[in-house]
Amino acid sequence: MPDGSRPKGYWVAHVDVHDMERYKDYINANGPVFAEYGAKFLIRGGGREVREGQFRARTVVIEFKDFETAKACYDSMAYQDAKALRDPVSAGDMQIIEGYGG
């Protein structure tokens, strides 16, 4: 990037939740972790229109200050503990993506 800063990092997830009541435990557990890593939700569910292809019921996009921070958050023990609450009650696809630095 021209100013020497690094591109932001993003989590992009598509999720089907099978038990929203239990999924709320995951939401409550991930809040402190995301705060620690400076995560900012850009998309968290919400209305949408699928124009091409097929997607899961929910889309989530979370922004981090850079790609390394996005990876570190996911790999942290605190997030993995929260994720263990999510796994039995949802199915999804998630990737960590480096933002465009052009």
Side-chain angles (χ1 to χ4, degrees):
M1 297 183 73
D3 65 1
S5 63
R6 298 187 304 197
K8 293 185 178 188
Y10 298 89
W11 289 12
V12 179
H14 303 282
V15 182
D16 290 327
V17 177
H18 309 300
D19 183 340
M20 185 51 83
E21 286 306 309
R22 289 181 56 203
Y23 190 81
K24 289 177 184 176
D25 294 336
Y26 162 69
I27 292 170
N28 291 331
N30 72 32
V33 181
F34 291 151
E36 177 183 346
Y37 286 88
K40 176 183 176 185
F41 282 90
L42 301 180
I43 299 170
R44 193 175 199 178
R48 67 183 181 164
E49 292 183 13
V50 176
R51 298 296 177 107
E52 296 183 28
Q54 297 179 350
F55 290 89
R56 296 183 182 270
R58 293 174 55 89
T59 297
V60 178
V61 177
I62 306 172
E63 180 182 81
F64 295 84
K65 71 178 181 176
D66 56 39
F67 188 56
E68 293 304 318
T69 302
K71 293 189 298 182
C73 181
Y74 185 86
D75 293 338
S76 72
M77 184 59 68
Y79 181 73
Q80 291 302 309
D81 288 346
K83 181 180 173 300
L85 298 171
R86 183 195 76 204
D87 288 343
V89 298
S90 67
D93 307 295
M94 197 277 267
Q95 48 191 320
I96 300 173
I97 303 172
E98 185 175 45
Y100 178 65

